[in-house]
């Protein structure tokens, strides 16, 4: 899944940051599965047309996904049959430490 929102929209630097992303992209029922396990510590900014993404199931407003056919258009096949994101469409990659909390005081 991908989100149409950026890290600031989820409260980057607040105690709720990681839970907010999980709820929006995967649903509240999966918070315990992801929270605190280091699975959401990379932000990839990828250039593609929004129309290439489908609404993720479950009615989450900002969660989108690539269908298998669309992913094939935006990826590069490898000789072993696996597909990877095209490097020329990756606009940025950022590591996010979800353990760091910011204070405005």
């Amino acid at each position: 899944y991908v989100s149409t929102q950026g890290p600031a929209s989820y409260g980057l630097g607040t105690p709720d940051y990681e839970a907010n992303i999980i709820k929006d992209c995967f649903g509240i029922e999966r918070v315990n599965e992801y929270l605190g396990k280091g699975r959401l510590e990379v932000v990839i900014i990828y250039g593609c047309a929004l129309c290439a993404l489908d609404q993720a199931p479950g009615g989450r407003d900002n969660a989108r996904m690539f269908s298998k056919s669309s992913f094939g258009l935006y990826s590069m096949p490898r000789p072993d049959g696996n597909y990877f994101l095209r490097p020329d469409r990756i606009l940025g990659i950022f590591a996010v430490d979800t353990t760091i909390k910011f204070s405005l005081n």
Side-chain angles (χ1 to χ4, degrees), residues 3 10 12 14 18 42 44 62-63 73 85 88-89 99:
S3 175
Y10 295 109
L12 179 64
T14 69
E18 193 175 17
V42 174
I44 299 173
N62 302 306
L73 295 173
L85 295 175
D88 62 326
R89 308 285 302 177
T99 65

Side-chain angles (χ1 to χ4, degrees), residues 31-32 46 65 70 72 77 79 81 84 86 88-89:
V31 170
N32 290 334
Y46 194 74
M65 59 183 250
S70 292
F84 294 90
R86 291 175 40 166
D88 62 326
R89 308 285 302 177

Side-chain angles (χ1 to χ4, degrees), residues 31-80:
V31 170
N32 290 334
E33 181 181 342
Y34 286 90
L35 190 63
K37 297 187 177 146
R39 296 180 178 176
L40 301 168
E41 295 181 348
V42 174
V43 174
I44 299 173
I45 302 171
Y46 194 74
C48 73
L50 189 57
C51 64
L53 301 172
D54 296 322
Q55 183 71 40
R60 295 177 299 278
D61 293 337
N62 302 306
R64 302 286 190 272
M65 59 183 250
F66 278 108
S67 66
K68 190 173 185 177
S69 61
S70 292
F71 189 76
L73 295 173
Y74 283 94
S75 62
M76 299 179 69
R78 300 289 186 175
D80 63 4

Side-chain angles (χ1 to χ4, degrees), residues 15-35:
D16 296 327
Y17 170 71
E18 193 175 17
N20 289 341
I21 291 175
I22 296 166
K23 289 174 191 174
D24 193 41
C25 288
F26 304 104
I28 194 166
E29 65 278 2
R30 298 190 68 190
V31 170
N32 290 334
E33 181 181 342
Y34 286 90
L35 190 63

